Amino acid sequence: MKIEQIYTGCIAQAAYYLENNGEAAIFDPLREVQPYIDRALKDNARIKYIFETHFHADFVSGHLDLAKKTGGQIVYGPTAQPEFDAIIASDNQEFKVGNYTVKAIHTPGHTLESTCYLLIDENGKSHGIITGDTLFIGDVGRPDLAQALVEDLTQEKLAGYLFDSLRNKIMPLADDLIVYPSHGAGSACGKNMSKETTDTLGHQKETNYALRPDMTKEEFTKELLDGLGLPPAYFPQNVMMNIKGYQSLDQIIEQSLKGLSPNEFETLANQSDAIVLDVRHEDDYVKSHIPGSIFIGIQGNFAPWVGALIMNVTQPLLLITPEGREQETITRLSRVGFDHVLGYLEGGIAAWENAGFEIDSIASISPEQFASEFSEKSVVVDARKPSEYSAEHVENAINIPLDTLNAHFAEVPKNGDFYLHCLGGYRSVIMASILKSRGFHNLVNVEKGINGIKNTPVKLTQFVCPSSHN
């Protein structure tokens, strides 16, 4: 059996390719499907099936484009009701790929249609299982994302379904089975995922809190829901795109990849309700940017932050990108459903300045300068997650997590300057850009974040291991 693992996504989404005798199966493909098609051509393989573990919320799947271009059949698990042609598998239904078998195992909990796929060789031996968002490495899928689609569903009810799915469908399987989840650390589909991307099921039974054999359903539900923050606002919109369908990526790129002169860019920005999105490195943005623009750097966890902070996937966008990365930016935005890019600034910020248009900057200081200015009266805003803040923070700092900013502008200090930091400097510049666009100009960014502050005399709270309060 040959299983090829292909990593193509900025959100650590993993697609899996099972190939034999000129036939192939693709699992949960990302929206840009050409790499899968190219690989199949290289291997003389025909893409026969496109297996979806569920209707994804954190990204737009490539199932429709891949099916249209290859003739492969889309497969969902029981209860799925897509608005396009697809095979709706029954529980334990088997699909042949050459001499191999892919077995659908219905595992409701993350969503009602959630389904895992068992990979079985020609001798009937199970080698691996594609678990989607049912089972991660070190975690399980959050049970609150399907509530918006079914009126009487609660997260507690879904958590109960997930408990039963794990105990009755997954845990009885062999310990040497390789678990292939669909996500890695950083995804908002779980709260405590490992950075590892595969593991044996036996090891997960020993180490994953959700698979403790002596756990009751009530204990499971409590632990699963404890500390579970609100899902990003764009998630339900992505779910609906995956259910209803969407415009092809080729069309999106064709209509969005438009270079605009500074004058054209400025006119379009003034005449539309577009957000000017600057995706360069934070150091470049701090030094010089278009007033009112929002920074979310493409080198970071780009697309999920766009979704979490801009929220509305139909929001028109105008881009400022590093030279040569215009199409990459459009593609990565499309992964989370942001398909309304009006164009990009040709020549970048240098062309804008040379045309005589106004620029802005962010007051930004080194950790050492922060230490020299810091006193007990200093106001400090920490943009990290609550778990990071609880582990260690500048004494008396205010915690306003970046992903909650849209709901907490009232907590931002209005009188007097305040210092703003995160872990390493990426999130604080995102927050600074949003605050400045909302009229908050009384902030000073601390470069390198808490990582830099640790090396100064500024006093931090006593460190508490994050695992003790997750």
Side-chain angles (χ1 to χ4, degrees), residues 304-423:
W305 278 122
V306 170
L309 296 169
I310 297 179
M311 299 188 290
N312 180 9
V313 298
T314 65
Q315 169 65 51
L317 301 172
L318 285 164
L319 302 179
I320 301 164
T321 75
E323 185 177 358
R325 301 186 73 176
E326 298 85 7
Q327 182 167 328
E328 177 192 351
T329 304
I330 293 166
T331 299
R332 290 175 65 175
L333 286 168
S334 77
R335 289 177 181 164
V336 289
F338 284 78
D339 295 338
H340 296 269
V341 172
L342 305 183
Y344 64 90
L345 179 60
E346 201 159 29
I349 200 71
W352 181 265
E353 292 188 59
N354 291 336
F357 289 112
E358 182 183 359
I359 61 168
D360 199 357
S361 61
I362 291 176
S364 190
I365 60 175
S366 67
E368 292 74 23
Q369 186 174 345
F370 170 68
S372 69
E373 296 178 7
F374 181 78
S375 72
E376 291 182 358
K377 296 181 180 180
S378 297
V379 179
V380 178
V381 173
D382 187 328
R384 297 175 299 153
K385 294 186 294 186
S387 60
E388 295 174 282
Y389 175 85
S390 298
E392 186 177 36
H393 60 266
V394 175
E395 286 196 342
N396 300 318
I398 303 166
N399 185 213
I400 306 178
L402 175 59
D403 59 351
T404 70
L405 179 60
N406 286 316
H408 292 91
F409 283 109
E411 298 173 24
V412 179
K414 298 178 179 63
N415 301 315
D417 291 345
F418 65 92
Y419 298 99
L420 175 63
H421 77 83
C422 59
L423 177 67

Side-chain angles (χ1 to χ4, degrees), residues 111-126:
T111 67
L112 289 177
E113 77 283 354
S114 287
T115 297
C116 298
Y117 295 100
L118 192 63
L119 308 179
I120 305 170
D121 70 12
E122 66 271 30
N123 298 314
K125 177 175 174 53
S126 298

Side-chain angles (χ1 to χ4, degrees), residues 144-183:
D144 60 336
L145 300 184
Q147 295 178 93
L149 303 178
V150 182
E151 189 173 339
D152 64 344
L153 268 185
T154 65
Q155 60 184 12
E156 288 79 14
K157 185 179 290 187
L158 282 163
Y161 293 157
L162 183 56
F163 177 87
D164 292 336
S165 292
L166 291 168
R167 265 77 192 159
N168 300 330
K169 300 290 189 71
I170 303 299
M171 292 177 69
L173 298 173
D175 286 352
D176 64 352
L177 201 64
I178 303 298
V179 176
Y180 297 101
S182 290
H183 300 20

Side-chain angles (χ1 to χ4, degrees), residues 137-138 174-177 179 194 196 198-209 211:
I137 306 304
D175 286 352
D176 64 352
L177 201 64
V179 176
S194 168
E196 302 301 324
T198 63
D199 195 6
T200 63
L201 180 57
H203 190 248
Q204 281 302 293
K205 290 176 187 178
E206 295 174 1
T207 60
N208 191 319
Y209 76 95
L211 303 187

